[in-house]
Amino acid sequence: MLPISLEIDRLTLRSSVRNVAIIAHVDHGKTTLVDGLLRQSHVFREHQEVGDLILDSNALEREKGITILAKNTAIRFHDVTINIIDTPGHADFSGEVERVLGMADGCLLLVDAAEGPMPQTRFVLRKAMQMRLKPIVVVNKIDRANARPAEVLSEVHDLFLDLATDVEQLDFPVIYTNAREGTATLDPAHPGTDLVPLFDTILARIPAPSVDLESGFQLVVSNIRANEYLGRTAIGRVTRGRVRRGDPLVRIDATGQVWRQKANELFAFQGLDTVSVEEALAGDIVLLTGIEDVQIGDTIATADVPEALPRIEVEQPTVQMTIGVNTSPLGGREGQYVTSRHLRARLFRELETNIALRVEETGSNDQFLVSGRGELHLAILVETLRREGYEFEVSRPRIIPREIGGVPCEPREHLVIEALEGHVGALTFELTSRSASLLNQVHDGRGNVRLEYRIPTRGLIGFRGQFLTLTRGEGSMSSVVDGFEPIGAELSQTRNGALVASNAGTATTLGLNNAQERGETFIEPGAQVYEGMIVGVSKYPRDIPINVCKKKEQTNIRSSTADIAVRLSPPVLMSLEESLAWIEDDELVEVTPKSVRIRKKLLTEESRLRARKNAVQR
């Protein structure tokens, strides 16, 4: 170990590089701001059509309008390479944030000029401060009619005072932007014309890497990219030293075992592309190929000095569900991959890149316990598998308790709701039944209200769909886990019973008309139905068996087609995410590439009655 003075003497300041992460709450404009930075740094050819939300290339990201995966890009400004790390804004994908912040020296903290700091804002800022990143506060969307930049900045100051661990973290510059128009200014009263003020602030306030170029090469893998030509590609920031193409290297895995490797190819980010480079230095963010079986968190080092870096640590999952082989009577008809072998291999392959996920074997060879950060985290995994051709069944999400001081505890979340004043009564009634406690209520004087609650995570399961109904789609909600408390009382029932098919066959208009007298239906005439399949929601708290395949008998004076005159109400068509939130503990969601069905775990009425009787006797 060298004396501290000698170690400092060997450090080199790389003024031609800046590494910055963009962090924010969901929908505060991170990806739109990255669009503007890319365009104004002239990384695209003139007249090149690139569209909007350029980095959100994943189909699910574009459909849902959120960033799911952390991504890298790089731009040049005044001969300085600015490596940009775009991170997800939704709390369920915070594992993506945690694994990539180590590549940055500073961060842009985006805050909506109308909404102000939200739960995820607090989470990502806390992580950035723990890693001692230099922040730049960006108050975005200053063009909104209800923008309140002065009040939002005051709220940001309060947030920094609450989270800062030393006085230096309270010294941060503030930039006001309209990311959609690609403008930035130091004074919100005088709108800017471009993003140059933000570029200048990044160069002035984000520290250049101060690195050791003389010691042996080291890099911790923060991301993995697959390529059919190059194979698995490791992405990370060079911590010290330098590396050239063809250099002998080692990979140090989670157990500390050392594996001999070689850097086949070396790439750097440039705009949306990657370019081959001969050499990378400490402080650069690079892509390495030829590293076999590489995993996120592994250390890649020079073969001469195989020293491991600390592995990337992320917070533990809070919600879990069971994923298993589809056992319904319609199973195996619509999927390409339907066996437990296919499902197991795919789930464990997901662990290579999704480090906030956990997959465990169960007592059954056909079922696996999958744990994640929240409902949406798990729902995105399920939707991804479905689109890849997998067919399976999924249980209701449930919380993962932790034992703290010998007491079983459950996760609790800070929930923030923006809604119209007219919806407060219904929201209050619903959230009270879910054991939520009101922390704060603020009216803006224009008919809008902001509600803050503390609520157990299990109380939020199934609430998002109910929230959209109660607010008629005119509200927004967000939450983030902020601690654990002893498990409270059981929640009251949050939905009515189900309409359960009592016969197998094809749904008819007559059968569905009878069902709609008892509740709302989920299917249309002609749909294939099996016994135990849930075909609707009842008007009553109890489940109701119903024959939706019933046909009208033919007679001399009545045709079997007479039911054509019957007018049915449109069915309630639930998405995969809504189905997962709706089901109870005794139900499953059957997922195939073509269909999403809801069913009882026990398909026959007799078996369900027997199970209820046994439960009462116990």
Side-chain angles (χ1 to χ4, degrees), residues 375 415 417 427 430-431 434 455 459-468 470 477 581:
E375 277 183 278
L415 170 67
I417 288 175
L427 287 170
E430 179 67 24
L431 286 165
R434 294 171 177 268
I455 183 171
L460 277 177
I461 294 176
F463 176 66
R464 295 183 190 277
Q466 189 72 14
F467 173 78
L468 292 175
L470 295 174
M477 62 168 282

Side-chain angles (χ1 to χ4, degrees), residues 331-570:
R333 300 186 184 185
E334 299 176 351
Q336 182 180 356
Y337 307 108
V338 299
T339 67
S340 59
R341 178 176 59 85
H342 286 128
L343 190 58
R344 183 186 187 281
R346 178 61 183 84
L347 288 173
F348 279 94
R349 191 164 69 247
E350 182 70 17
L351 298 179
E352 296 175 0
T353 54
N354 196 341
I355 63 172
L357 197 73
R358 302 287 185 273
V359 178
E360 303 171 45
E361 306 273 8
T362 65
S364 168
N365 292 331
D366 294 336
Q367 292 185 333
F368 306 91
L369 193 61
V370 181
S371 307
R373 287 288 182 86
E375 277 183 278
L376 184 60
H377 187 200
L378 296 177
I380 290 294
L381 170 64
V382 171
E383 180 64 33
T384 301
L385 297 182
R386 175 193 179 194
R387 295 187 181 201
E388 292 176 2
Y390 289 84
E391 181 177 323
F392 49 95
E393 60 189 24
V394 184
S395 72
R396 182 177 190 245
R398 55 189 180 272
I399 64 160
I400 304 174
R402 292 186 191 175
E403 193 165 299
I404 301 176
V407 178
C409 295
E410 64 178 337
R412 288 195 168 254
E413 305 200 24
H414 182 207
L415 170 67
V416 176
I417 288 175
E418 304 271 357
L420 301 178
E421 291 179 342
H423 300 146
V424 171
L427 287 170
T428 301
F429 180 80
E430 179 67 24
L431 286 165
T432 300
S433 71
R434 294 171 177 268
S435 297
S437 55
L438 183 65
L439 302 177
N440 194 21
Q441 180 171 331
V442 179
H443 297 259
D444 68 355
R446 295 190 291 269
N448 303 308
V449 63
R450 178 180 176 130
L451 304 168
E452 296 188 37
Y453 288 90
R454 186 167 171 81
I455 183 171
T457 297
R458 60 194 168 99
L460 277 177
I461 294 176
F463 176 66
R464 295 183 190 277
Q466 189 72 14
F467 173 78
L468 292 175
T469 302
L470 295 174
T471 61
R472 297 184 179 140
E474 296 181 293
S476 65
M477 62 168 282
S478 60
S479 64
V480 66
V481 175
D482 69 348
F484 285 77
E485 291 183 4
I487 297 176
E490 288 293 322
L491 302 181
S492 59
Q493 186 173 355
T494 57
R495 57 150 250 216
N496 286 338
L499 299 178
V500 186
S502 59
N503 297 74
T506 303
T508 65
T509 302
L510 176 63
L512 290 174
N513 185 54
N514 292 338
Q516 289 189 350
E517 293 177 0
R518 295 166 174 81
E520 295 179 297
T521 53
F522 295 161
I523 61 174
E524 297 177 326
Q528 287 295 113
V529 174
Y530 54 82
E531 183 181 4
M533 178 174 161
I534 294 176
V535 295
V537 58
S538 169
K539 294 179 180 178
Y540 312 102
R542 67 183 187 279
D543 293 340
I544 298 178
I546 191 83
N547 180 10
V548 293
C549 304
K550 185 176 182 180
K551 296 180 181 179
K552 185 171 289 186
E553 297 299 330
Q554 299 182 50
T555 69
N556 291 333
I557 59 174
R558 186 173 62 193
S559 166
S560 64
T561 60
D563 61 352
I564 292 176
V566 175
R567 292 185 177 273
L568 295 176
S569 299

Side-chain angles (χ1 to χ4, degrees), residues 76-95:
R76 295 280 295 176
F77 185 77
H78 292 339
D79 295 326
V80 176
T81 297
I82 303 175
N83 289 306
I84 297 174
I85 306 154
D86 185 25
T87 64
H90 199 288
D92 282 20
F93 307 107
S94 51

